[in-house]
Amino acid sequence: MRKCSIKMKVTLWYTGILSVILILITAAVIVYTNMTGLLATEEEVQGAVTGFVGNIRFKNDTYYLDGDTEFYNDGVMFCVYDESGKLLYGSLPVDFPVQTTLQSNTARIVKNHNKEWMVYDGIYSYGQGKALWVRGLTSIHSVESFLSTVRKILLIIFPGLVVLIGVVGYFMTKRALKPVDDICERADKISGGDDLTQRLPLPKVQDEMYHLTVKFNEMFERLQKSFEKEKQFASDASHELRTPVAVLMSQCEYLLEHGELTEDQRQEAEVIMRQAKKMSSLVSQMLMIAREERMADPSQFEDVDMGMLAEIVAEELEFAAAKKEISIHVDVREECFVRGDQTLFMRFLMNLIQNAIVYGRKGGNVWIRITEEGEKIQGEVRDDGIGIGEEHLDKIWDRFYRADPSRGKEEGTGLGLSMVKWIAKVHNGEIHVESSLGKGSRFFFWFPKKR
């Protein structure tokens, strides 16, 4: 029950409550039908006995029966007894208990085996202490059959009604909660995208959905402001850090070139220099991200040949690859045009190929492939380096994340792949990774082909 959706919970409660009400109504109908059916039979027998007595003429100490008296009329049988209970006229049904006691003016049910009769006895006095008993009885099997049929019909209809109530209730609940689903779907699109300036459309009726939408829009407003402040802070901080980092690097360079240092002092200065360069690279990348996020305007996109761009980037990085004795293999098809920002696409390929070189093994290989597949341009950057552990694959796209141990020993800022992911998203592309420790990594991507 805890894992059910709200629609299902409401439907189950709605169906359960109505089912209980239906059970009570069904039970009441059955009881009422039993009571009215038996009461009608009782009144019928009593009236029949009264009518039969009209055929008897009492005079002084004797009585007379009309010659045309019938002892069976409309399903009711009649018997006449004297005051001692001796049967004088009429006959009893075959299975009726002969010894059934006469009871004055009392209607009752007499049972024997599987048969039931409604019995009514009337006593009529005449003369000096004399009396006649008139008994009327009728089988209530037909009544019981009718009541049994009614019960069966109700029991057959009941499950169908419950199912119908459940189905109708579910669709009513689904329709009532559809605005909530729409709000969740639109909110998910806004929160999953890059444009937090979008807002949910307000319903025309100011009901609960209206107030919920207002709250969502207020939340997006706060998120947008917070996000803008964060980006502005990153940009401002990176800009302010450039000067002190540059001063630190220049002073270290001067100290290493002109300072009279001992060996230990020189080693310490070199450590400072390396860390300053790393900090400078990080600041530069942060500034570049902040600048490019502001400048990524789809209206300014142009036709870019991904094949030619891959060749240019590969050629530019050959020197870095040669330092690790890594061979770069390029297999590209020219005129693989996509729509986008050429600078961003160059950064995209640069980061992927640099990543393959940095984490490739000495004397290894890097393969670059750009082809056309249907309506998409497909690309791949693959290496046979140290690889990435499976537990890190879904995290490598996060900013500043560096896997350990597969990536921990190499230098880097942790911003390259996050930028790659963002560039792919800006251009309606996709990028995925496959990797195994010690076997290398494969980054493959798709972009819509220029139309």
Side-chain angles (χ1 to χ4, degrees), residues 193-307:
D194 295 321
D195 187 6
L196 290 178
T197 61
Q198 299 181 57
R199 296 294 179 265
L200 300 174
L202 293 174
K204 296 180 181 179
V205 181
Q206 294 192 13
D207 54 5
E208 289 83 354
M209 294 301 106
Y210 178 90
H211 296 298
L212 178 62
T213 305
V214 169
K215 294 300 179 184
F216 264 104
N217 285 338
E218 290 176 354
M219 178 187 68
F220 285 129
E221 184 74 25
R222 291 193 295 270
L223 285 174
Q224 180 190 358
K225 291 180 179 178
S226 176
F227 185 64
E228 292 296 336
K229 287 180 180 178
E230 180 184 344
K231 289 200 299 184
Q232 188 62 44
F233 171 77
S235 177
D236 294 344
S238 301
H239 183 75
E240 293 298 326
L241 284 171
R242 294 186 70 178
T243 301
V245 170
V247 171
L248 183 60
M249 290 177 60
S250 64
Q251 293 298 317
C252 284
E253 288 176 355
Y254 180 83
L255 187 62
L256 289 171
E257 290 181 8
H258 305 289
E260 297 180 359
L261 304 175
T262 64
E263 186 61 28
D264 290 341
Q265 290 172 337
R266 181 171 293 277
Q267 290 179 0
E268 293 297 332
E270 289 175 350
V271 169
I272 295 173
M273 185 64 177
R274 285 197 300 272
Q275 294 302 317
K277 287 182 177 180
K278 185 175 180 181
M279 187 179 295
S280 177
S281 175
L282 176 61
V283 169
S284 297
Q285 289 197 46
M286 289 179 65
L287 278 172
M288 182 174 58
I289 290 174
R291 182 174 63 253
E292 290 178 347
E293 283 182 346
R294 288 194 298 267
M295 295 176 61
D297 183 4
S299 64
Q300 302 298 321
F301 284 177
E302 57 186 337
D303 295 345
V304 179
D305 187 343
M306 285 292 287

Side-chain angles (χ1 to χ4, degrees), residues 1-14 169-170 172-174 176-178 180-181 184 209 212:
M1 187 72 173
R2 292 180 179 178
K3 296 182 179 179
C4 290
S5 64
I6 294 178
K7 290 190 287 288
M8 187 58 66
K9 288 179 180 179
V10 172
T11 301
L12 291 175
W13 277 106
Y14 167 83
Y170 179 80
M172 288 175 60
T173 306
K174 184 178 180 180
L177 293 178
K178 189 177 183 304
V180 177
D181 293 335
C184 292
M209 294 301 106
L212 178 62

Side-chain angles (χ1 to χ4, degrees), residues 355-356 358-361 383-393 396 403-408 410 433-443:
N355 188 77
V358 169
Y359 300 108
R361 61 182 176 84
D383 65 74
D384 55 2
I386 60 178
I388 307 169
E390 184 178 354
E391 69 276 15
H392 301 293
L393 288 179
I396 61 173
D404 184 28
S406 62
R407 304 165 73 88
E410 301 291 343
V433 60
E434 294 176 356
S435 184
S436 299
L437 282 175
K439 296 182 179 180
S441 303
R442 175 188 176 219
F443 290 84

